[in-house]
Amino acid sequence: MKWFFLFLLALCSTVVVFADSGGSVYYVRAGASGANDGSDWNNAWTELPEVLERGATYYIASGDYPSYLFDDPEDGDAYIVIKKAVADDHGTNVGWQNDYAAGIAYFTDTQGPIFEFRTGRYIIDGQTGEKDSGHGIKLHNPANVKPHLGGTCMMIQHNFEVRYLTLRHIEMHDAGWAGSVSELPAVTRTILAAGKTAHVSFQYCYIHDGGQEWLLFAAPESDFLVEHCYFKNGGSGSSDYHSVGIWFRGEQENQNIHIRYNTFENFAAAGGTGYITVGWRGDATPTSSSGHYIYGNIFKETSPLAGPSRAIGSNASNGGPILTDVRIYNNTFYNMNGTSTRITLANEGSNNLVANNIWYDCDEAPLFYNIEETNNIKNDMMNAPFIDAMNGDFRLSAGLPGMILNVPFNKDMTGATRGADGSWDIGAYEYDETGG
């Protein structure tokens, strides 16, 4: 149960850092013409200052801002908090106008990285937005170039270690995917973390139009949370550039990676290996990792260009990793093209299970390789189990009893407790007989 303890610890630490620390508060507003000292909205900095203060909170008004490097030396457990200013949370009223809350804080440049992190303990919160609209902060990389040349929205370079990082309500708009770039391939990586990382959360983010990956963590240690995010349109569109939506290339035990309550829409068939890949084996030396939990998500395909070779799994390069404690629970797979229904691991591990998932209206029934499965609906229902899948409503129209699971798998993406009515349901949503 070590993974569950670590999961609770990660959640508790997130709550603590949002508590009022009594630190300094500063203000940033594009176009401000006062003293440029950040003291209030009249005298706000026109962009984030080069050096940020540990323990401080920075409110940012709507406007256009340049890319930024986060490299402030850490000081114990002191965080730096950056918030998009909104009407009911904007710090001082001195100089405040409600127009400062209208629109977004838009960060861009001629190329990425738009945000680069070299140290940890930051919280960046757009405060508004969910699914694919309304996010308070937006990062935009316009350059379809390889990551080391600037093809990223967010980067952690390989020679830096970053721990304790939370990004919430942020849109990341990359340079394009197989279905939008004028000249293939799409070679960017929207989020590239090449250095060692731990205690990282993405919550309520909208990440879209990426190339080889939406999110790649090349050296993850432990404690990752990706929840309530919307991933849309990704993939290189070329077999010369193999691509995957989310990849945690871990090589250690008890990684405690939770990917839950997200929506994944369209990853390219050409060059695409899957929506989620776990584990890594870089050479002939055997590797192993454990603690990958994927639950309560929606996978759907709305483009004929979508349809990677699998939905979830591990790569077989150099023999592939040996994975244990991989749990894939209560997900919904809809209208998946070709073989993108599959869940395949490179090697047989232990304590790996696929349960309580729905595949509906897909080209193929799912195939499972080197992983056990039970209590799944495998593309064999005659009637639609959803209220309105064509318009994105995947709530159940009737109960579909499944197997009972333990905490933390006992909530759906709305926060409803599974089995509260005496029946634990299959799929991303727990059945609500009121239709709410």
Side-chain angles (χ1 to χ4, degrees):
M1 295 299 291
K2 182 179 179 181
W3 64 267
F4 180 50
F5 171 76
L6 291 172
F7 174 72
L8 290 179
L9 183 61
L11 291 185
C12 289
S13 66
T14 301
V15 173
V16 169
V17 297
F18 272 98
D20 182 7
S21 63
S24 302
V25 179
Y26 299 107
Y27 303 90
V28 180
R29 179 170 63 86
S33 58
N36 197 37
D37 61 10
S39 58
D40 56 40
W41 290 110
N42 288 326
N43 299 296
W45 285 300
T46 56
E47 59 186 66
L48 282 170
E50 183 176 346
V51 177
L52 303 178
E53 178 183 320
R54 286 286 162 185
T57 297
Y58 295 78
Y59 284 97
I60 302 183
S62 301
D64 295 347
Y65 300 96
S67 56
Y68 192 80
L69 171 63
F70 296 88
D71 61 352
D72 307 283
E74 296 187 32
D75 182 11
D77 60 358
Y79 279 75
I80 293 170
V81 179
I82 297 171
K83 291 183 176 184
K84 169 63 171 63
V86 295
D88 58 358
D89 185 10
H90 56 261
T92 184
N93 285 323
V94 176
W96 172 255
Q97 298 179 28
N98 285 335
D99 287 349
Y100 300 160
I104 62 173
Y106 178 68
F107 289 83
T108 191
D109 214 320
T110 56
Q111 63 184 41
I114 308 305
F115 279 3
E116 180 180 346
F117 293 90
R118 296 184 179 178
T119 55
R121 296 191 185 273
Y122 293 94
I123 299 167
I124 304 178
D125 188 354
Q127 299 229 67
T128 63
E130 61 181 17
K131 296 184 179 179
D132 59 354
S133 64
H135 294 75
I137 293 174
K138 179 175 180 176
L139 315 183
H140 181 210
N141 164 46
N144 179 28
V145 295
K146 293 181 179 181
H148 70 281
L149 298 175
T152 63
C153 285
M154 172 185 154
M155 174 180 276
I156 299 169
Q157 296 190 43
H158 73 279
N159 52 332
F160 294 96
E161 300 182 7
V162 174
R163 300 175 181 87
Y164 298 98
L165 179 64
T166 296
L167 292 95
R168 306 178 73 193
H169 300 289
I170 295 174
E171 178 183 354
M172 298 190 194
H173 182 182
D174 211 347
W177 75 300
S180 65
V181 297
S182 59
E183 294 185 9
L184 291 175
V187 296
T188 64
R189 287 174 165 141
T190 310
I191 299 167
L192 172 59
K196 292 182 179 179
T197 50
H199 306 281
V200 177
S201 297
F202 295 90
Q203 300 168 300
Y204 299 96
C205 292
Y206 177 34
I207 299 167
H208 61 103
D209 290 279
Q212 283 192 266
E213 285 95 17
W214 288 312
L215 187 157
L216 170 61
F217 277 78
E221 294 176 332
S222 65
D223 301 312
F224 295 85
L225 178 64
V226 181
E227 66 172 359
H228 295 289
C229 294
Y230 202 116
F231 296 89
K232 185 174 182 179
N233 296 344
S236 70
S238 170
S239 59
D240 293 331
Y241 289 85
H242 291 285
S243 50
V244 63
I246 291 178
W247 192 358
F248 283 95
R249 282 185 3 184
E251 300 180 49
Q252 65 183 53
E253 304 301 326
N254 301 313
Q255 293 212 280
N256 195 38
I257 297 170
H258 291 253
I259 302 173
R260 65 180 189 179
Y261 315 146
N262 306 288
T263 298
F264 298 88
E265 181 178 356
N266 298 334
F267 202 80
T273 58
Y275 283 87
I276 300 173
T277 293
V278 293
W280 165 251
R281 183 171 176 175
D283 54 34
T285 305
T287 62
S288 62
S289 67
S290 65
H292 304 271
Y293 313 113
I294 302 166
Y295 55 104
N297 303 285
I298 294 169
F299 298 81
K300 64 179 183 178
E301 291 178 348
T302 59
S303 168
L305 298 177
S309 58
R310 63 172 181 253
I312 303 168
S314 61
N315 291 347
S317 300
N318 301 304
I322 298 173
L323 302 174
T324 58
D325 198 22
V326 176
R327 309 301 182 93
I328 302 171
Y329 294 155
N330 278 103
N331 300 285
T332 292
F333 300 84
Y334 174 72
N335 198 43
M336 307 295 281
N337 299 327
T339 62
S340 63
T341 55
R342 298 180 178 183
I343 296 178
T344 62
L345 301 184
N347 296 292
E348 184 176 355
S350 61
N351 202 28
N352 301 324
L353 182 62
V354 181
N356 285 358
N357 303 279
I358 299 175
W359 281 261
Y360 180 76
D361 202 23
C362 302
D363 282 355
E364 298 182 6
L367 178 148
F368 307 96
Y369 189 69
N370 284 331
I371 191 167
E372 295 185 8
E373 66 91 8
T374 188
N375 288 94
N376 297 291
I377 295 175
K378 294 174 283 190
N379 210 44
D380 53 3
M381 291 191 73
M382 297 299 295
N383 298 313
F386 310 115
I387 290 178
D388 188 2
M390 291 187 66
N391 290 302
D393 189 346
F394 292 95
R395 292 175 298 163
L396 296 177
S397 57
L400 294 173
M403 65 182 291
I404 297 173
L405 303 170
N406 295 324
V407 174
F409 310 112
N410 65 327
K411 301 282 187 180
D412 75 1
M413 63 171 57
T414 69
T417 300
R418 295 189 181 275
D421 60 355
S423 178
W424 186 299
D425 291 299
I426 288 176
Y429 287 94
E430 183 73 358
Y431 174 60
D432 180 356
E433 62 183 7
T434 68

